């Protein structure tokens, strides 16, 4: 009898799994940068958290947030993981885009330079690498330079591309500096003879560095898809924050970065998972305001805009107020 019951339960379980897979909503999500901020996303994918929430997610890399936003506006991808700068720039230009969560609300970059750059003044007249004009690395670098007393007009900005591309440009001498992710690529740069001129987290600049973005139209027509994506996101953050999962989490990120350096992955876990990722990943108005103020230097429309106009936190708020997020940490 027990054996028969076990067989029946096994069959029912298989049928249930088949139905979930069959009913899974396909969702393509673009991302514009390879770095530790994508950790919750790839953990949700590898640990089946998306599937558990009825989603069949495919991630595609579109180098640079500006290009990624172009893909969204053209209808190629409905959801993105990109910097808030690109989103706000696009919205100011009339694009239907909105930030629904933000995994990283600080400028988690180091200003990495070649060995001959000893102080901030040495940057004058030099070439610095960014991803694309109007990107997070562009605006972030301008903010950092001003904090260091350097007019951004006194340096040349070159559009180089992703973290690995910017690192290679510095190593080859094409540029003399640029922003690299503090937790993933900056330590690698230092091991190869480059140096940190300034660590941007120490400069205390609140910023929407990596946000979850969709269009208001898509959120209205597919509210359950967006809600389930965010639900999987907060579940993945909770999974990462469980110290019992530390080693597996590091292996997942190492495969994504193609770097299994244990020392580097320990640094990233302690910094990102413990300090940067929050259980409820709200996008902050302060982070949006800093972006607006920088954009306003060249775009008058930004002066009249309100930070809150670019953010819709209702779904994250629902998850928090329902007790769902709190429940993830009480198991």
């Amino acid at each position: 009898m027990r054996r028969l019951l076990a067989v029946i339960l096994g069959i029912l379980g298989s049928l249930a799994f088949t139905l979930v897979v069959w009913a899974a909503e396909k969702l393509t999500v673009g991302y514009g940068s390879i770095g530790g901020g994508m950790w919750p996303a790839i953990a949700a994918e590898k640990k089946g958290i998306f599937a558990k929430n009825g989603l069949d997610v495919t991630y595609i890399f579109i180098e640079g947030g500006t290009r990624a936003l172009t893909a969204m506006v053209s209808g190629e991808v409905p959801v993105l993981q990109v910097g808030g700068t690109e989103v706000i720039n696009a919205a100011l230009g009339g694009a239907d885009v909105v930030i629904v969560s933000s995994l990283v609300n600080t400028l988690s970059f180091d200003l990495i330079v070649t060995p001959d750059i000893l102080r901030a003044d040495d940057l004058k007249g030099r070439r610095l690498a960014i991803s694309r004009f109007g990107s997070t690395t562009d605006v972030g670098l301008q903010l950092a330079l001003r904090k260091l007393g350097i007019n951004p007009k006194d340096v040349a900005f070159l559009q180089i591309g992703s973290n690995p591309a910017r690192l290679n440009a510095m190593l080859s001498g094409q540029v003399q500096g640029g922003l690299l992710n503090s937790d993933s690529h900056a330590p690698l740069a230092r091991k190869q003879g480059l140096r940190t001129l300034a660590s941007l987290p120490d400069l205390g600049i609140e910023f929407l560095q990596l946000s979850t973005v969709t269009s208001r139209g898509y959120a209205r027509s597919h509210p359950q898809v967006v809600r389930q994506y965010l639900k999987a996101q907060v579940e993945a953050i909770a999974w990462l924050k469980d110290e019992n999962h530390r080693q597996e989490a590091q292996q997942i990120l190492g495969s994504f970065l193609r770097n299994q350096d244990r020392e580097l992955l320990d640094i990233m876990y302690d910094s990102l998972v413990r300090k940067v990722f929050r259980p409820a990943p709200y996008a902050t108005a302060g982070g949006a305001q800093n972006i607006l103020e920088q954009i306003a230097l060249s775009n008058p429309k930004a002066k009249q805009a309100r930070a809150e106009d670019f953010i819709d936190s209702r779904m994250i708020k629902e998850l928090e107020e329902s007790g769902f997020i709190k429940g993830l940490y009480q198991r």
Side-chain angles (χ1 to χ4, degrees), residues 250-256 258-263 265:
Q250 289 175 322
Q251 290 173 345
I252 289 172
L253 182 64
S255 295
F256 177 68
R258 297 181 180 179
N259 187 340
Q260 292 289 353
D261 185 315
R262 181 58 54 187
E263 180 184 356
L265 293 170

Side-chain angles (χ1 to χ4, degrees), residues 5 11 23 58 67 89 92 126 139 149 175 206 208 238 277 292 300:
L5 180 59
I11 293 172
T58 299
R67 286 180 175 175
N89 264 320
L92 289 171
R126 302 301 186 96
V139 173
V175 297
E206 191 176 357
L208 304 183
F277 298 147
L292 276 173

Side-chain angles (χ1 to χ4, degrees), residues 16-195:
F17 178 78
T18 301
L19 287 172
V20 168
V21 172
W22 179 78
E25 181 82 25
K26 292 185 179 296
L27 175 66
T28 301
V29 180
Y31 65 100
S33 179
I34 299 171
M38 286 292 293
W39 211 338
I42 56 176
E45 180 183 31
K46 296 297 183 183
K47 295 303 298 179
I49 299 174
F50 286 132
K52 171 188 170 186
N53 283 280
L55 297 177
D56 179 6
V57 175
T58 299
Y59 278 100
I60 59 171
F61 177 54
I62 307 170
E63 188 171 24
T66 305
R67 286 180 175 175
L69 260 296
T70 301
M72 170 173 279
V73 172
S74 67
E76 294 178 39
V77 290
V79 176
L80 293 175
Q81 299 283 179
V82 293
T85 301
E86 294 89 337
V87 183
I88 292 175
N89 264 320
L92 289 171
D96 175 23
V97 291
V98 65
I99 297 169
V100 292
S101 77
S102 190
L103 292 165
V104 182
N105 283 324
T106 184
L107 278 170
S108 185
F109 288 111
D110 281 9
L111 175 50
I112 300 294
V113 295
T114 50
D116 57 309
I117 305 295
L118 301 178
R119 59 186 188 276
D121 280 348
D122 294 338
L123 291 172
K124 293 180 180 178
R126 302 301 186 96
R127 299 184 300 273
L128 301 182
I130 61 171
S131 172
R132 291 286 180 271
F133 293 129
S135 69
T136 295
T137 52
D138 180 9
V139 173
L141 184 54
Q142 292 186 55
L143 284 169
L145 289 173
R146 288 192 168 89
K147 281 275 188 177
L148 296 171
I150 301 296
N151 189 329
K153 293 181 180 180
D154 291 337
V155 303
F157 285 56
L158 271 64
Q159 298 182 101
I160 299 296
S162 64
N163 273 286
R166 296 196 298 276
L167 172 56
N168 288 333
M170 283 182 255
L171 292 172
S172 68
Q174 182 181 359
V175 297
Q176 289 73 53
L179 296 186
L180 292 180
N181 187 281
S182 296
D183 305 295
S184 59
H185 292 82
L188 184 61
R190 288 190 287 270
K191 285 186 175 182
Q192 298 185 66
L194 301 176
R195 59 186 300 269

